[in-house]
Amino acid sequence: MSRIAFLVVFLTTSFVFSQEKNKDFFVDANYFYGTILRHNKDISHLVKAHPDGFIIGFNRKTYGAERWQQEYNYPDWGFSFVHQNAHYDVLGENYGLYGHFNFYFLKRNLFFRIGQGIAYNTNPFDLETNFKNNAYGTRLLSSTYLMLNYNKQNLFKNFGVQAGIALVHYSNGNFKAPNSSTNAFTLNVGVQYSVADERNPEYISDSLSNKITEPIKYNFVLRGGLNESDYLNLGQHPFFVVSAFADKRLSYKSTIQLGADFFYLPFLKKEIEYLSVAFPSFGVKGDEDFKRVGIFAGHELRINQLAVVSQAGYYVYYPYDFEGRTYFRAGLKYYFTDKLFTAITLKSHGAKVEGVEFGVGIRI
């Protein structure tokens, strides 16, 4: 499954982070209850009940042994397990494993968690037995969850409480159709247990300079993956993307980008051929070019060797109309060295995912 690599990145990063001396950690358990958002009219028939479930997390504390920890106010890193029951047999149940970070605000009383991982669905789409489930086309799904919680650690000895909101997303990245995906908005409440009393932690606070002096760098990236048209039974096809862009690092955390993409998308070729024959009223002739060229602007948020990438693009070469001329890319990069990196990104048109891209690149 394509997003397994996301988890691999988190595991690798976590191993690097675990080399610090302090071994403090805490575990938390949260119950959630909410609703599935109608982000897409195609899933309206699936919004039948209120999903609930639980989130269990293992969280490793940081105290500033490395610069990134001080820059981000001593975040936690860890792993979590999420179970979601949609209470509608068509959607089934989801079980997921994640890597996550907790970022703290308001004197560490508020934390924002972002988790990325892979989930298993018990009842995916099947043309004969479960044709209504157009949200999940495969058993293995990529999943992201966001949590914003108010927390009080060590409220009673080593026990604490937390409560807030969470958003849980499931999708297979258009690896296989159908893939309308789901987003559950939930309220949660939970408890924590710390293995050490952290009322008076010894945070390392060095005098850090935010000034980063770097010339403009040039990047070349080759991306690829598998995806499928939304029209069923047209098959999975490999795709390739060649990207070139310039970037300028503005600070320890922030880098801006400007560049161009060339897209080679055989799944569009199959779709064009199919529509020209099956739906002549759509005006598709069958000889439209399935390739595209886009320009984009982006931003990179650095967290040690890991970076969170976000880009917005516009197709300047757009011979076939598919999901509009604007596109978005979001994901993770991992820098092996100052020059070599790998990336896993999700390309979409608004809420509509086109595919998951695996990439390798060079920065010179």
Side-chain angles (χ1 to χ4, degrees):
M1 182 60 198
S2 55
R3 287 284 190 93
I4 289 178
F6 266 126
L7 191 58
V8 172
V9 170
F10 271 104
L11 289 171
T12 303
T13 308
S14 297
F15 174 78
V16 174
F17 295 168
S18 67
Q19 304 312 301
E20 60 188 289
K21 295 180 180 180
N22 202 296
K23 303 298 182 181
D24 289 353
F25 67 90
F26 70 92
V27 293
D28 57 17
N30 303 270
Y31 169 78
F32 66 82
Y33 178 87
T35 186
I36 294 177
L37 302 177
R38 290 179 174 84
H39 72 281
N40 185 330
K41 65 181 181 180
D42 294 340
I43 69 163
S44 295
H45 64 289
L46 299 176
V47 185
K48 296 290 187 180
H50 293 281
D52 69 356
F54 58 85
I55 302 172
I56 298 174
F58 169 88
N59 307 273
R60 180 73 170 277
K61 303 173 188 292
T62 66
Y63 292 96
E66 299 181 38
R67 178 171 178 173
W68 72 271
Q69 299 169 5
Q70 299 179 45
E71 292 278 357
Y72 287 95
N73 193 29
Y74 315 101
D76 310 320
W77 61 266
F79 309 100
S80 42
F81 174 81
V82 178
H83 169 246
Q84 177 176 301
N85 187 347
H87 292 288
Y88 183 39
D89 58 351
V90 170
L91 282 175
E93 300 180 48
N94 294 329
Y95 301 85
L97 290 172
Y98 304 77
H100 70 248
F101 288 105
N102 300 328
F103 298 97
Y104 286 89
F105 309 92
L106 300 179
K107 297 182 178 179
R108 304 186 73 80
N109 289 316
L110 186 72
F111 75 82
F112 172 71
R113 177 182 295 176
I114 178 168
Q116 179 64 56
I118 188 167
Y120 175 85
N121 177 257
T122 60
N123 195 25
F125 171 84
D126 186 279
L127 194 58
E128 295 182 358
T129 62
N130 194 24
F131 64 90
K132 290 184 179 180
N133 188 358
N134 62 332
Y136 312 139
T138 53
R139 287 192 181 276
L140 291 180
L141 305 169
S142 66
S143 182
T144 304
Y145 81 93
L146 309 175
M147 176 188 288
L148 183 66
N149 272 13
Y150 183 81
N151 84 118
K152 280 292 186 181
Q153 297 188 8
N154 303 308
L155 190 62
F156 176 72
K157 294 186 178 180
N158 288 37
F159 287 92
V161 296
Q162 61 188 58
I165 58 176
L167 180 72
V168 187
H169 169 77
Y170 296 102
S171 166
N172 72 10
N174 219 40
F175 181 77
K176 184 173 177 59
N179 181 50
S180 296
S181 72
T182 63
N183 297 291
F185 178 78
T186 70
L187 302 177
N188 74 86
V189 60
V191 295
Q192 308 172 351
Y193 180 79
S194 299
V195 300
D197 192 337
E198 200 203 46
R199 290 184 179 89
N200 296 298
E202 295 182 2
Y203 292 113
I204 301 171
S205 181
D206 297 335
S207 178
L208 301 177
S209 171
N210 287 323
K211 186 175 181 181
I212 296 290
T213 301
E214 275 191 8
I216 294 174
K217 299 286 187 175
Y218 299 96
N219 299 255
F220 301 92
V221 188
L222 177 63
R223 312 178 199 267
L226 285 174
N227 63 354
E228 184 174 4
S229 170
D230 289 340
Y231 295 94
L232 297 179
N233 297 322
L234 294 186
Q236 294 172 289
H237 302 278
F239 66 86
F240 302 96
V241 184
V242 179
S243 304
F245 61 92
D247 72 31
K248 174 63 177 176
R249 194 166 185 179
L250 303 179
S251 67
Y252 180 83
K253 299 178 182 178
S254 190
T255 302
I256 56 174
Q257 307 168 333
L258 186 65
D261 293 310
F262 169 77
F263 300 95
Y264 184 83
L265 307 169
F267 86 96
L268 283 184
K269 179 180 180 181
K270 283 294 183 180
E271 182 172 306
I272 291 168
E273 294 172 351
Y274 171 72
L275 292 179
S276 68
V277 176
F279 298 96
S281 61
F282 286 8
V284 178
K285 298 178 181 179
D287 59 354
E288 289 86 349
D289 194 356
F290 60 91
K291 297 180 287 294
R292 293 178 168 191
V293 176
I295 56 175
F296 67 87
H299 180 265
E300 206 172 280
L301 183 68
R302 290 288 293 268
I303 308 174
N304 201 20
Q305 293 169 279
L306 193 68
V308 180
V309 179
S310 56
Q311 297 172 349
Y314 181 82
Y315 296 113
V316 292
Y317 179 66
Y318 186 72
Y320 170 64
D321 185 17
F322 176 78
E323 303 293 348
R325 299 190 73 133
T326 58
Y327 63 93
F328 303 92
R329 177 182 286 125
L332 298 175
K333 291 174 68 175
Y334 187 85
Y335 285 90
F336 293 108
T337 69
D338 290 339
K339 293 184 177 181
L340 299 176
F341 61 86
T342 184
I344 307 174
T345 49
L346 184 72
K347 184 196 173 196
S348 69
H349 303 91
K352 176 61 180 175
V353 174
E354 181 180 300
V356 177
E357 305 168 325
F358 294 86
V360 293
I362 185 170
R363 182 174 185 256
I364 54 177

